[in-house]
Amino acid sequence: MRAMIIGGDNVMVTRRSLEASGYADIVHWSGRKRSDLRRDMPCGVVHMVIMLNFVNHNLARRMKLLAQQQQISVAYVGRKQHGGMPH
């Protein structure tokens, strides 16, 4: 099975988690390049992980739409915010 990670530089933890879940082929797009908005979706992707803190809104929106059209499951990952206002 093929999975895809969008965003992030250090994705080893996410990659290992996907491998442990049975994904043998993992594609990673950093999300930093403007060309990522126009890249063709790789064939055979059945699961997508979007790292929200590392991609722009347009890329996240495009990947979500492609996932819906191709019936690909999507997981959204955010990063805990440290500091800021107490709850």
Side-chain angles (χ1 to χ4, degrees):
M1 290 190 303
R2 178 180 265 185
M4 183 172 188
I5 302 170
I6 295 111
D9 292 326
N10 184 4
V11 295
M12 288 310 298
V13 172
T14 305
R15 183 179 292 274
R16 276 183 257 170
S17 177
L18 289 168
E19 288 170 349
S21 297
Y23 295 98
D25 186 15
I26 300 167
V27 178
H28 175 235
W29 289 1
S30 69
R32 291 184 183 271
K33 301 174 190 171
R34 286 185 155 216
S35 63
D36 285 345
L37 273 170
R38 294 178 295 279
R39 288 174 79 173
D40 291 331
M41 180 78 168
C43 295
V45 173
V46 296
H47 183 66
M48 185 184 301
V49 177
I50 300 176
M51 304 187 83
L52 294 172
N53 293 79
F54 297 99
V55 297
N56 66 43
H57 294 297
N58 290 331
L59 181 58
R61 186 178 305 120
R62 177 177 181 260
M63 298 314 291
K64 177 182 175 183
L65 180 63
L66 286 173
Q68 287 174 343
Q69 290 171 347
Q70 298 180 22
Q71 297 180 336
I72 298 171
S73 64
V74 180
Y76 298 95
V77 178
R79 184 171 52 183
K80 289 186 179 181
Q81 297 294 322
H82 295 286
M85 300 293 293
H87 298 296

